[in-house]
Amino acid sequence: MTPRIDNLTQEGPVSAPPAGGYDAWAGSPHGYDLTGGAADRGADPDGDGFTNMQEFLFGASPVAGNGILVTSETVGGGLVLHWLQRASGCSYLLQESITMGAGDWSTSAIVPVLDDQSGVPTGYERYKATISTSETRKFFRVEGAEN
Ligand SMILES: [Ca+2]
């Protein structure tokens, strides 16, 4: 089976977002200095298609326009997904679906594990999940939420 990725990967460098909760991350003096509507959780001031909340949850920059939420690679007989998680204050689930239908996502039996932590920004941890390519066709996503 050839691994296929849908709706998972954005290419580009990861910046170094500040530590702290969402307000510290978005605001000043140690955050991205977003003000007014641009600081809203649902705003997308850099126009990259990811909301501020998505970029906060997955360690991307809300101002650089080149964020990465989840990356993937093939290793041996598996597909490995990598992503950054907030070290505290947020929760994440690896989900899978056969159809990608709105009501067809469930928590995956694959348990994400801590990945290599080199270069990980303060306040984040890198996780990975290895998916066997012998599986039947499935779609995967990582869902994050502020606690
Ligand atoms: Ca954005």
Side-chain angles (χ1 to χ4, degrees), residues 3-115:
R4 183 177 147 185
I5 305 296
D6 287 317
N7 296 328
L8 285 175
T9 303
Q10 288 291 316
E11 299 296 331
V14 175
S15 61
Y22 179 84
D23 291 337
W25 176 88
S28 60
H30 303 296
Y32 285 106
D33 294 325
L34 300 176
T35 60
D40 291 346
R41 284 167 168 73
D44 180 17
D46 59 2
D48 65 358
F50 300 118
T51 66
N52 288 341
M53 179 52 67
Q54 291 170 318
E55 303 206 68
F56 167 73
L57 289 167
F58 292 95
S61 167
V63 296
N66 59 359
I68 301 172
L69 301 189
V70 177
T71 61
S72 64
E73 64 177 329
T74 54
V75 177
L79 175 67
V80 183
L81 305 179
H82 305 269
W83 66 93
L84 295 177
Q85 293 188 184
R86 297 291 300 177
S88 63
C90 298
S91 55
Y92 297 82
L93 283 176
L94 178 65
Q95 297 181 320
E96 61 183 57
S97 171
I98 294 173
T99 66
M100 289 184 71
D104 191 37
W105 290 93
S106 59
T107 301
S108 177
I110 298 167
V111 178
V113 296
L114 280 172
D115 198 358

